[in-house]
């Protein structure tokens, strides 16, 4: 990483991004030295040596395996792993412990794509590459807010549209930042994708938009699939009713797809995270197979992964239903891997997929679980039940770099090396293997994940099978296994890299597999067939529509997903002030019609309830949300909000084929909660606020401390304002000076704590809906020395000047606020995103804020015209 014009840049020669970083990637430098890093192993709450911790794990595993069998032990790992980490963990569990019980958080984001690929192609293979987005005449984005979640790739696509006039269609229930910039937005009803794509397939067949020669040579199941599509979607009017969209919009989509040979369909979590995710994937692939639009420049289905190395985990077999190196639990593959690993006790059947794995932890079938580089206490569906299950498990091991809600539940905590300290390989969405090189030594006693698993294997008596001294040895073995007895039956083949030496590994350039021979890789597959099926032909999959359960008591559908500047459960991104300035707190977005029907006000409090539980959170009125749907971000946890993880409310329904949870289809009910008072708290100390249960709060990192938003739905009793409770709330020492201002008639109360004349904390209370005068000034003064006269002004809410009104950050790369952008547009008469970029730099780095800049321009132009 280098810095150019104040902005971090990646590798300018890398084919995936050519040096451009998204705002989260650019902010990684700010996470290197975050406080609270895990620095030493802990055993039952006390610090321990590595030898003591590893001996304890190995002895416990050995005993549990002997007493209860290999299936009583499980690993739950992560797409944050490097490929070498994944390989060693998978080999230990499946090859030597002898169970299939290793699954990954990639189950939550990409496993339906895996299932769809295997059903269609015979193997988990992505046919195309990123360059296809620059060569396509039409790009269809399905369930992908690409502008926020893959902004660098999105900018490549949009640049091609600007240059070549290509079209973009966004298929998404929400009008996202991506949908705002599309030529056509299809806001389909949740879960209706299969009807839409079966309708397209029937349309293509009815209008003879088929590549019959290609089908005859390379496809099986065509006639049955077409017949099924015509039954599932007999007319455009039927599809319109099933998807709750306009007939004209659906017809336009079908005509655009039919009329553009170079079509790329990109899909992501909106497709995968569904009870019918695998069918959705195959419905998309069916249309590409029927038209022969696959494996050639500018055409094909392209699955966009959600994690940096979800692909690498799939390659090594990190999912419970895979064995290793794209081999499965068939007798032939089991025998092959057994001989390669010299593993007589190899697993012979799949293990538990993620949701079932944690259920097995709860009912006692699994006695020991090792969780690595992920936070299931917050990210799993029915998160509260997952926590209870972990609390009751005899042995929970967690390896991570920072404390999480999951490490709190562990008997053994192991300090893991972080991204800057890890050496290995990752694979991205286009099958491109990239070397990740450490640029600093692990801090404290932190170690790479592969090392931990190998050390446990050695202590369990399998040292000869785990002799690794570094990641190069592991990678060579991984590459050798991919080529072992592989005469073309498996496209995943790294045989050309199996004999590279350590120096060649260190300098390995990005390369796309298959690499059967040294120096050879390929960006596209399947243009001439060659599928990984017994007859080499792709399979089209006949699909039917599934009826959904009608839950009248829960009339709304909860959709969960990402916001622009956060990542997963905010373990790092939530602690970077610049990344908390775009969206600083969680809220439930709902359509104005649904809000009005429930008496919900914008920024008011609501109770959100499902069969799994209920939470109270802020509401956000959003016309971009479909009536009948609500949306909540997936990121916030107990560390950042009283509402905790939204996944506490998410049901555990899964796709019957892939096992992927339906994270976008939980039925909910929403009711307004009358807010009585509100408050803001600024303080230097970390941790959550000590407030009663009838209080909602949210925490955001500041450059010099923390900001808390507070709201209560019962009266602000005098007890909460007692000096003892206030000192706990402010987290100030006993010797700190506590100053106050009270106006009971207006229900306004302000308190500030000073340590050696510096403002250590302050809290302002006021009635619901009231402006908390002086709050922004107080935030600006936090940590600074405050003179006596300034204290009076601070507590009375009188402005001293210099404190700006709060304004949301739009461009996090350059810290440009919405107020600044609007002012410059008016003052300088700007009329384009390019002019804003030239003036403020906003939108010139990762580009994820470009859709918002366009909206601001449009609203400013409308206001001026009015």
């Amino acid at each position: 990483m280098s810095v150019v014009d104040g902005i971090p840049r990646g590798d300018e020669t890398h084919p995936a991004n050519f040096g451009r970083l998204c705002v989260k990637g650019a902010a990684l430098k700010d996470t290197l030295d975050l406080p609270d890093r895990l620095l030493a192993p802990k055993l039952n709450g006390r610090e321990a040596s590595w030898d003591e911790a590893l001996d304890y794990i190995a002895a416990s595993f050995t005993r549990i395996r002997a007493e209860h069998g290999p299936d009583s032990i499980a690993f739950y790992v992560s797409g944050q792993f490097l490929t070498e980490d994944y390989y060693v963990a998978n080999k230990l569990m499946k090859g030597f412990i002898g169970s299939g019980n290793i699954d990954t958080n990639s189950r939550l984001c990409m496993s339906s794509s895996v299932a769809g690929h295997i059903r269609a192609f015979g193997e988990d293979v992505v046919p195309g590459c990123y360059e296809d987005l620059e060569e396509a005449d039409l790009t269809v984005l399905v369930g992908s807010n690409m502008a926020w979640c893959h902004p660098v790739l999105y900018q490549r696509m949009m640049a091609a549209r600007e240059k070549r006039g290509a079209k973009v269609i966004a298929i998404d229930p929400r009008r996202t930042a991506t949908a705002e910039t599309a030529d056509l937005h299809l806001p389909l009803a949740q879960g209706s994708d299969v009807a839409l794509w079966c309708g397209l397939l029937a349309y293509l067949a009815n209008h003879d938009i088929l590549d019959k020669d290609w089908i005859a040579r390379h496809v099986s199941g065509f006639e049955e699939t077409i017949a099924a599509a015509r039954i599932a979607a007999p007319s455009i009017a039927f599809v319109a009713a099933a998807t709750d969209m306009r007939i004209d919009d659906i017809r336009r989509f079908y005509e655009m797809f039919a009329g553009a040979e170079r079509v790329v369909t990109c899909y992501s979590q909106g497709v995968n995270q569904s009870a019918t995710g695998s069918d959705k994937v195959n419905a998309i692939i069916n249309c590409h197979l029927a038209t022969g639009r696959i494996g050639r420049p500018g055409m094909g289905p392209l699955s966009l992964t959600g994690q940096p190395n979800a692909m690498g985990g799939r390659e090594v077999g990190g999912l419970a239903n895979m064995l290793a190196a794209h081999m499965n639990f068939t007798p032939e593959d089991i025998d092959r891997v057994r001989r390669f690993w010299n593993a007589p006790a190899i697993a012979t059947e799949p293990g538990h997929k993620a949701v079932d794995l944690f259920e097995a932890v709860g009912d006692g079938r699994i006695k020991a679980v090792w969780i690595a580089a992920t936070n299931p206490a917050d990210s799993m569906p029915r998160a509260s039940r997952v926590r209870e299950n972990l609390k009751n498990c005899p042995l929970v091991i967690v390896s991570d770099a920072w404390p999480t809600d999951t490490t709190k539940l562990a008997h053994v905590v192991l300090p893991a090396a972080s991204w800057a300290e890890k050496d290995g390989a990752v694979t991205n969405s286009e099958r491109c293997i990239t070397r990740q090189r450490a640029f600093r030594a692990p801090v404290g006693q932190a170690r790479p994940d592969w090392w931990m698993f190998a050390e446990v294997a050695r202590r369990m008596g399998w040292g000869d099978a785990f002799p690794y001294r570094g990641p190069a040895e592991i990678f060579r073995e991984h590459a050798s296994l991919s080529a072992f007895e592989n005469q073309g039956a498996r496209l995943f083949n790294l045989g050309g890299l199996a004999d590279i030496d350590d120096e060649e590994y260190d300098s390995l350039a990005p390369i796309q597999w298959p690499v059967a021979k040294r120096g050879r890789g390929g960006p596209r597959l399947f243009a001439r067939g060659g599928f990984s099926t017994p007859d080499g032909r792709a399979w089209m999959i006949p699909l039917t529509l599934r009826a959904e359960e009608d839950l009248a008591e829960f009339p709304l559908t909860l959709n969960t997903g990402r916001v622009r500047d956060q990542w997963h459960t905010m373990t790092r991104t939530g602690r970077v002030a610049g990344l908390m300035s775009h969206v600083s707190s969680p809220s439930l977005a709902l359509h104005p019609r649904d809000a009005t029907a429930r008496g919900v006000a914008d920024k008011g409090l609501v109770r959100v309830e499902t069969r799994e539980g209920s939470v109270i959170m802020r509401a956000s009125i959003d016309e971009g949300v479909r009536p009948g749907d609500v949306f909540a971000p997936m990121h916030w946890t107990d560390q950042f909000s009283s509402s905790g993880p939204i996944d506490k409310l998410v049901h555990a329904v899964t796709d019957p084929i892939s096992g992927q949870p339906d994270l976008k289809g939980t039925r909910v009910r929403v009711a307004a909660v009358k807010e009585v008072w509100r408050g803001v708290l600024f303080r230097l100390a970390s941790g959550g606020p000590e407030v009663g249960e009838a209080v909602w709060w949210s925490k955001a990192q500041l450059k010099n401390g923390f900001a808390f938003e507070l709201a209560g739905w019962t009266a602000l009793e005098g007890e909460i304002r007692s000096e003892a409770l206030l000192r706990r709330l402010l987290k100030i020492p006993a010797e700190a000076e506590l100053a106050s201002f009270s106006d009971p008639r207006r229900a306004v109360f302000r308190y500030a704590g000073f340590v050696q004349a510096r403002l250590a904390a302050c809290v302002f209370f006021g009635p619901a809906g009231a402006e908390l005068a002086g709050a922004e000034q107080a935030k600006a003064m936090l940590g600074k020395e405050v003179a006596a006269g300034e204290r009076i002004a601070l507590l009375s809410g009188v402005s001293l000047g210099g404190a700006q009104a709060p304004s949301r950050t739009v461009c996090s790369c350059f810290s440009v606020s919405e107020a600044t952008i609007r002012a410059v547009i008016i003052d300088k008469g700007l009329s384009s995103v390019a002019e804003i970029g030239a003036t403020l730099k906003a939108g010139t780095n990762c580009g994820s804020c470009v859709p918002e800049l366009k909206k601001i321009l449009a609203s400013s132009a409308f206001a001026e015209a009015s």
Side-chain angles (χ1 to χ4, degrees):
M1 181 184 289
S2 59
V3 178
V4 180
D5 294 331
I7 288 295
R9 298 283 294 177
D11 182 353
E12 303 280 352
T13 65
H14 198 286
N17 67 339
F18 301 102
R20 298 186 74 169
L21 301 175
C22 73
V23 64
K24 295 184 284 290
L28 278 172
K29 60 180 174 43
D30 301 319
T31 70
L32 291 175
D33 297 305
L34 291 173
D36 302 330
R37 179 73 186 270
L38 298 176
L39 299 175
K42 287 188 176 181
L43 181 58
N44 295 318
R46 63 174 178 81
E47 191 168 306
S49 68
W50 270 109
D51 280 338
E52 184 181 8
L54 294 169
D55 286 346
Y56 179 84
I57 295 169
S60 299
F61 279 0
T62 300
R63 174 181 52 79
I64 291 169
R65 183 171 179 260
E67 294 176 359
H68 304 284
D71 289 335
S72 62
I73 303 172
F75 296 165
Y76 185 65
V77 296
S78 167
Q80 312 298 302
F81 265 16
L82 300 186
T83 299
E84 293 80 359
D85 301 322
Y86 258 127
Y87 182 86
V88 177
N90 188 59
K91 180 179 178 180
L92 173 57
M93 176 53 72
K94 290 177 182 157
F96 290 83
I97 291 176
S99 171
N101 284 343
I102 175 171
D103 211 41
T104 164
N105 62 5
S106 297
R107 177 72 60 191
L108 278 57
C109 62
M110 298 312 304
S111 54
S112 289
S113 286
V114 174
H117 289 159
I118 292 173
R119 289 206 293 177
F121 309 143
E123 186 177 351
D124 178 22
V125 177
V126 176
C129 61
Y130 294 161
E131 286 182 3
D132 289 331
L133 294 175
E134 298 168 322
E135 301 194 40
D137 295 322
L138 173 65
T139 300
V140 184
L141 305 175
V142 193
S144 168
N145 189 7
M146 197 178 182
W148 279 15
C149 300
H150 298 89
V152 175
L153 193 56
Y154 169 81
Q155 288 303 315
R156 287 180 66 173
M157 178 190 72
M158 295 305 284
R161 184 172 83 159
E162 188 75 20
K163 180 180 179 181
R164 299 178 50 252
K167 301 296 183 183
V168 175
I169 297 173
I171 302 175
D172 197 307
R174 292 193 300 143
R175 190 164 183 83
T176 62
T178 304
E180 292 278 358
T181 59
D183 296 286
L184 174 64
H185 173 218
L186 297 178
L188 79 175
Q190 285 283 1
S192 63
D193 304 64
V194 173
L196 179 67
W197 287 89
C198 281
L200 173 59
L201 183 60
Y203 179 92
L204 295 170
N206 293 341
H207 291 78
D208 201 26
I209 313 295
L210 305 169
D211 191 333
K212 295 179 180 177
D213 290 341
W214 197 87
I215 292 168
R217 292 195 305 271
H218 303 304
V219 176
S220 295
F222 170 76
E223 296 294 344
E224 304 94 309
T225 303
I226 294 295
R230 286 173 169 152
I231 294 171
S235 67
I236 293 180
F238 178 91
V239 173
T243 60
D244 192 24
M245 294 191 297
R246 300 191 326 155
I247 290 175
D248 288 348
D249 287 342
I250 295 171
R251 181 179 289 111
R252 185 182 171 201
F253 165 46
Y254 289 176
E255 290 172 349
M256 290 174 72
F257 193 102
E261 183 182 20
R262 292 188 172 216
V263 181
V264 172
T265 304
C266 296
Y267 61 91
S268 194
Q269 312 308 356
V271 168
N272 295 315
Q273 291 176 337
S274 166
T276 57
S278 300
D279 283 355
K280 292 179 181 181
V281 172
N282 285 113
I284 292 169
I285 294 174
N286 282 344
C287 293
H288 282 273
L289 291 175
T291 53
R293 296 171 181 173
I294 188 169
R296 290 182 285 155
M299 60 185 78
L302 180 60
S303 161
L304 298 176
T305 54
Q307 296 191 80
N309 199 31
M311 286 285 282
R314 289 147 62 175
E315 291 162 6
V316 307
L319 291 164
N321 53 302
M322 298 174 155
L323 183 54
H326 283 207
M327 287 179 276
N328 301 303
F329 284 95
T330 63
E332 297 80 11
D333 284 347
I334 292 168
D335 177 66
R336 182 178 296 113
V337 179
R338 176 192 286 119
R339 287 184 285 109
F340 183 88
W341 279 344
N342 191 22
I346 193 170
T348 57
E349 60 184 15
H352 292 298
K353 298 171 184 174
V355 171
D356 292 336
L357 187 152
F358 285 101
E359 285 298 295
V361 169
D363 64 26
R365 284 173 290 161
I366 291 176
K367 309 290 185 183
V369 60
W370 187 342
I371 299 164
T374 187
N375 187 18
D378 292 322
S379 60
M380 283 293 296
R382 296 195 298 198
S384 296
R385 184 181 301 196
V386 169
R387 295 179 184 194
E388 285 302 311
N389 292 349
L390 290 173
K391 286 178 184 177
N392 296 324
C393 184
L395 177 59
V396 177
I397 304 153
V398 180
S399 46
D400 212 319
W402 281 275
T404 67
D405 290 332
T406 303
T407 61
K408 295 176 184 177
L409 304 171
H411 303 97
V412 184
V413 178
L414 303 177
S418 185
W419 70 278
E421 303 148 7
K422 297 188 73 170
D423 202 29
V426 297
T427 306
N428 70 5
S429 297
E430 60 171 354
R431 293 175 284 106
C432 183
I433 298 170
T434 299
R435 278 280 285 112
Q436 177 172 312
R437 299 171 178 88
F439 59 83
R440 74 174 194 176
V443 299
Q445 298 179 49
R447 296 290 185 270
D449 293 277
W450 67 260
W451 179 88
M452 302 180 204
F453 287 102
E455 284 295 319
V456 168
R458 291 168 189 150
R459 285 165 166 80
M460 293 182 73
W462 301 311
D464 289 346
F466 294 84
Y468 315 117
R469 294 167 297 175
E473 295 178 40
I474 304 167
F475 184 85
R476 283 192 290 269
E477 184 177 314
H478 164 55
S480 296
L481 176 57
S482 74
F484 184 60
E485 298 180 355
N486 184 358
Q487 276 71 49
R490 305 185 305 276
L491 282 169
F492 177 63
N493 189 335
L494 305 181
L497 303 175
D499 61 352
I500 59 175
D501 59 29
D502 288 5
E503 185 176 337
E504 290 172 314
Y505 173 79
D506 287 340
S507 61
L508 184 66
I511 187 168
Q512 288 174 286
W513 60 261
V515 195
K517 296 181 180 179
R518 184 177 281 235
R520 292 182 59 186
R524 299 179 183 90
L525 298 168
F526 304 145
R528 297 182 178 86
F531 297 93
S532 302
T533 57
D535 61 2
R537 301 167 69 89
W539 293 320
M540 290 181 66
I541 307 298
L543 300 170
T544 58
L545 304 187
R546 299 187 204 170
E548 292 190 4
E549 183 182 5
D550 183 21
L551 297 175
E553 60 179 320
F554 296 103
L556 303 174
T557 300
L558 172 64
N559 179 7
T560 66
R562 302 182 190 275
V563 298
R564 192 189 74 189
D565 292 357
Q566 292 304 323
W567 175 256
H568 284 199
T569 58
M570 299 168 61
T571 306
R572 289 178 295 169
T573 54
R575 304 168 82 180
V576 177
L579 296 180
M580 291 297 293
S581 57
H582 180 244
V583 177
S584 60
S585 63
S587 63
L588 184 81
L590 67 168
H591 190 273
R593 186 191 309 170
D594 293 323
T596 300
R598 291 160 177 78
V600 173
D602 190 36
K603 296 183 174 58
L605 294 176
V606 292
R607 183 183 302 277
V608 189
E609 187 175 3
T610 75
R611 287 175 170 175
E612 303 301 328
S614 67
V615 299
I616 290 177
M617 57 196 306
R618 286 279 187 210
S620 172
I621 311 303
D622 185 353
E623 292 185 348
V625 175
R626 277 179 51 88
D629 288 356
V630 293
F631 174 84
M634 59 176 273
H635 311 287
W636 273 261
T637 69
D638 292 340
Q639 297 184 22
F640 296 96
S641 176
S642 59
S643 58
I646 196 66
D647 281 322
K648 289 193 298 187
L649 304 186
V650 172
H651 62 196
V653 174
T654 61
D655 180 287
I657 299 164
S658 69
Q660 180 151 358
D662 179 26
L663 300 180
K664 298 183 180 294
T666 304
R667 303 289 289 186
V668 304
R669 59 177 169 233
V670 175
V673 174
K674 183 176 175 56
E675 183 178 344
V676 176
W677 60 267
R678 61 174 299 215
V680 291
L681 165 66
F682 305 110
R683 73 184 190 199
L684 299 176
S686 62
E690 294 192 30
V691 290
E693 291 187 0
V695 177
W696 172 84
W697 61 267
S698 180
K699 167 185 167 183
Q701 180 82 43
L702 303 173
K703 290 182 179 179
N704 58 338
F706 302 88
F708 297 82
E709 185 183 353
L710 310 170
W713 50 93
T714 60
L716 184 64
E717 301 292 345
E719 287 79 5
I720 198 174
R721 305 195 314 274
S722 70
E723 180 169 342
L725 288 178
L726 281 169
R727 286 185 178 275
R728 290 213 302 269
L729 178 64
L730 298 172
K731 279 201 170 182
I732 53 176
E735 66 273 15
E737 180 184 354
L738 181 64
S740 65
F741 170 90
S742 298
D743 185 347
R745 184 179 58 84
R746 293 191 299 136
V748 172
F749 307 93
R750 303 187 183 99
Y751 305 90
F754 300 92
V755 176
Q756 296 181 346
R758 295 183 180 275
L759 181 63
C762 61
V763 61
F764 291 9
F765 298 113
E771 180 181 351
L772 298 175
E776 286 302 307
Q777 182 170 274
K779 182 167 69 173
M781 298 170 72
L782 186 64
K784 297 179 180 178
E785 189 170 328
V786 182
E790 292 175 320
R791 292 189 188 187
I792 296 173
L794 169 69
L795 289 169
S796 62
V798 175
S799 174
L800 296 174
Q804 297 181 345
S807 179
R808 182 177 62 95
T809 296
V810 172
C811 177
S812 297
C813 293
F814 293 100
S815 301
V816 185
S817 71
E818 181 175 352
T820 300
I821 294 166
R822 290 189 181 277
V824 169
I825 288 172
I826 294 171
D827 292 346
K828 296 186 178 293
L830 306 184
S831 60
S832 70
V833 170
E835 289 175 338
I836 295 175
T839 306
L840 298 172
K841 292 188 176 181
T844 60
N845 184 44
C846 76
S848 61
C849 64
V850 167
E852 291 175 85
L853 297 178
K854 290 181 177 179
K855 287 183 69 174
I856 293 170
L857 277 168
S859 63
S860 298
F862 177 80
E864 187 175 348
S866 301

